[in-house]
Amino acid sequence: MRVRKLMGTLLTLLVTAGLLAAPAAAAPVPAKRFPAVVNLPNGFSPEGIAVEGKTAYTGSLATGAIRRVDLRTGVTTQFAPSPGSGKISVGMDVDRFGRLWVAGGGHGGPLPGVISSFRLYDTRSGAKLADVPVPEASFINDVEVTRDAAWFTDSADPAALVRVPIGTNGRIGVPEKIVLGGGWVPGGPINANGITATPDGENLVVGQTAAAGGGAALYLVPSTTGDVALARKIGLQGDLESADGLVLVGRTLYVVTHDGVVEVELARQLTAGRVLSVTEVPGAAFASTGALFGGRLYVVDANLGENLSNIGNPDATFKIVAIPVP
C-alpha cells in the first residue's frame, strides 16, 4: 500500500511538472490532402450537392438515385435508390433535424414525364421520410433550408418560389407558392435557379440564370410568409454571364456558373455587389452547383452534354471537383 501511494504521488508530481505527458492525439488530416476529384459512376448525371459534416450527397437527374460521398476518402456509395418513374433529383440541402431535402424537378422543365415534387430522407438511415407532389409548381430546381422553412426555386415559372413551413418540432407544412414581385423582372426559360439564405434567415439571395437584358442577375428576396415576396435586384459591378448554384459566406457570394465560380463581394445592405474574380473548375464540362467543406468548394460537374444528351448516357463521365475557396 505504501509503494502504491508513493508511486501515485510521484506520478502526480511528474504530470504537474510536465515531465510525463499524456500521449499526443493524432493530428487531423488537412482537407487539402483529401481527394480533389471524386469520380461518380458513368451515366449517373449529378446536379445538386449537400454537405453534412464530412459527408456529401448528390443526386441523379436520370433516375433520382442519391449517392453518399466520404469527402475524406473520395469513396461513394448508394444512399438512396431511384424513387421510381417520373422522379429525379436536382438541388438539395440538409436541415437541423438531419434530413436531406431534395428538389424533384417537374413537368414544366426540359425533361419529359417528370413529376413536380420534393422528397425528404433521414441522413442516418437513408429512409425516405416524405415524397410530396407540388402540382402548382413547374420545375422545382434548388432548395435552401432555414430554421422555419424550406425554400425551393421554381425555374420554369417566370417569377416564383415554393415555401414549405417547418415547425419547431420539425413537422413540415403544406407547400405554398410565393410570387416574386417588386423589382423582379422575368427573363428567359430558366428564371429563379440557385438560392441561398443569410445567416439570420431573414433574406434569400436568388440567382436568375437568364435575365431579360442578357446574362444573369441576382436578387435579394425577403423570407416573407405572404403570397408575394418583394424582390430587389442586386446591382453588380462586373459581368455575370450565368448563375446556377449559390454559396454565401458572410458577404461573399460564390456563384457557380457553367464556366467557373464567380466571387462576388456584396455591400453591407446586400443590394449591391462587385465581381472580384472568376475561378476555373479544372476538368469540368458543365459546373452546376457547389458546397463548402474544409476550406474548399466542392463543385458538381453535371456534364449535361449538347441538348442534355449526357443525362443518363451510360458512357458519360461525371465528377465532383474540389477547388480552394477563392
Side-chain angles (χ1 to χ4, degrees), residues 180-185 228-232:
L180 290 168
W184 182 271
V185 179
V228 178
L230 301 180
R232 298 178 65 182

Side-chain angles (χ1 to χ4, degrees), residues 77-105:
T77 54
Q78 179 171 278
F79 170 73
S82 170
S85 177
K87 301 295 180 71
I88 64 173
S89 295
V90 198
M92 49 184 57
D93 196 11
V94 178
D95 69 12
R96 60 193 176 101
F97 299 100
R99 301 177 301 191
L100 180 69
W101 291 71
V102 181

Side-chain angles (χ1 to χ4, degrees), residues 25 42 76 81 108 110 157 161 179 187 198 203 213 217 225 251 258 265 307 314:
N42 283 12
T76 78
D157 190 294
L161 303 177
V179 175
T198 55
N203 288 284
T225 56
R251 289 192 286 113
H258 309 150
E265 181 184 60
N307 298 321

Side-chain angles (χ1 to χ4, degrees), residues 185-211:
V185 179
I190 302 177
N191 278 276
N193 192 340
I195 186 169
T196 188
T198 55
D200 59 12
E202 293 184 1
N203 288 284
L204 308 165
V205 178
V206 177
Q208 184 183 37
T209 298

Side-chain angles (χ1 to χ4, degrees), residues 85-87 106-107 111-115:
S85 177
K87 301 295 180 71
H107 56 79
L111 304 174
V114 175
I115 301 167

Side-chain angles (χ1 to χ4, degrees), residues 39-269:
N39 292 307
L40 298 166
N42 283 12
F44 184 72
S45 302
E47 202 281 343
I49 186 172
V51 170
E52 181 186 42
K54 298 178 176 65
T55 300
Y57 303 90
T58 187
S60 172
L61 286 173
T63 67
I66 299 171
R67 304 286 296 183
R68 189 201 310 261
V69 182
D70 185 333
L71 295 174
R72 298 165 299 179
T73 64
V75 173
T76 78
T77 54
Q78 179 171 278
F79 170 73
S82 170
S85 177
K87 301 295 180 71
I88 64 173
S89 295
V90 198
M92 49 184 57
D93 196 11
V94 178
D95 69 12
R96 60 193 176 101
F97 299 100
R99 301 177 301 191
L100 180 69
W101 291 71
V102 181
H107 56 79
L111 304 174
V114 175
I115 301 167
S116 298
S117 62
F118 67 88
R119 304 187 303 279
L120 273 76
Y121 295 88
D122 186 324
T123 58
R124 290 162 295 185
S125 66
K128 185 168 63 176
L129 304 176
D131 190 340
V132 182
V134 190
E136 61 271 26
S138 296
F139 190 83
I140 299 178
N141 192 333
D142 203 357
V143 58
E144 174 77 1
V145 183
T146 63
R147 288 190 65 84
D148 60 3
W151 292 88
F152 294 91
T153 52
D154 186 355
S155 296
D157 190 294
L161 303 177
V162 173
R163 178 181 183 271
V164 182
I166 302 175
T168 55
N169 60 354
R171 183 184 297 274
I172 68 172
V174 177
E176 308 162 347
K177 189 166 185 175
I178 307 295
V179 175
L180 290 168
W184 182 271
V185 179
I190 302 177
N191 278 276
N193 192 340
I195 186 169
T196 188
T198 55
D200 59 12
E202 293 184 1
N203 288 284
L204 308 165
V205 178
V206 177
Q208 184 183 37
T209 298
L218 301 171
Y219 286 85
L220 185 67
V221 180
S223 54
T224 178
T225 56
D227 296 334
V228 178
L230 301 180
R232 298 178 65 182
K233 188 174 182 180
I234 298 174
L236 285 182
Q237 297 179 26
D239 296 329
L240 187 63
E241 295 301 323
S242 67
D244 204 329
L246 304 180
V247 177
L248 182 63
V249 182
R251 289 192 286 113
T252 301
L253 181 69
Y254 300 103
V255 184
V256 180
T257 76
H258 309 150
D259 299 316
V261 176
V262 178
E263 180 186 8
V264 177
E265 181 184 60
L266 296 173
R268 189 173 299 277
Q269 299 302 317

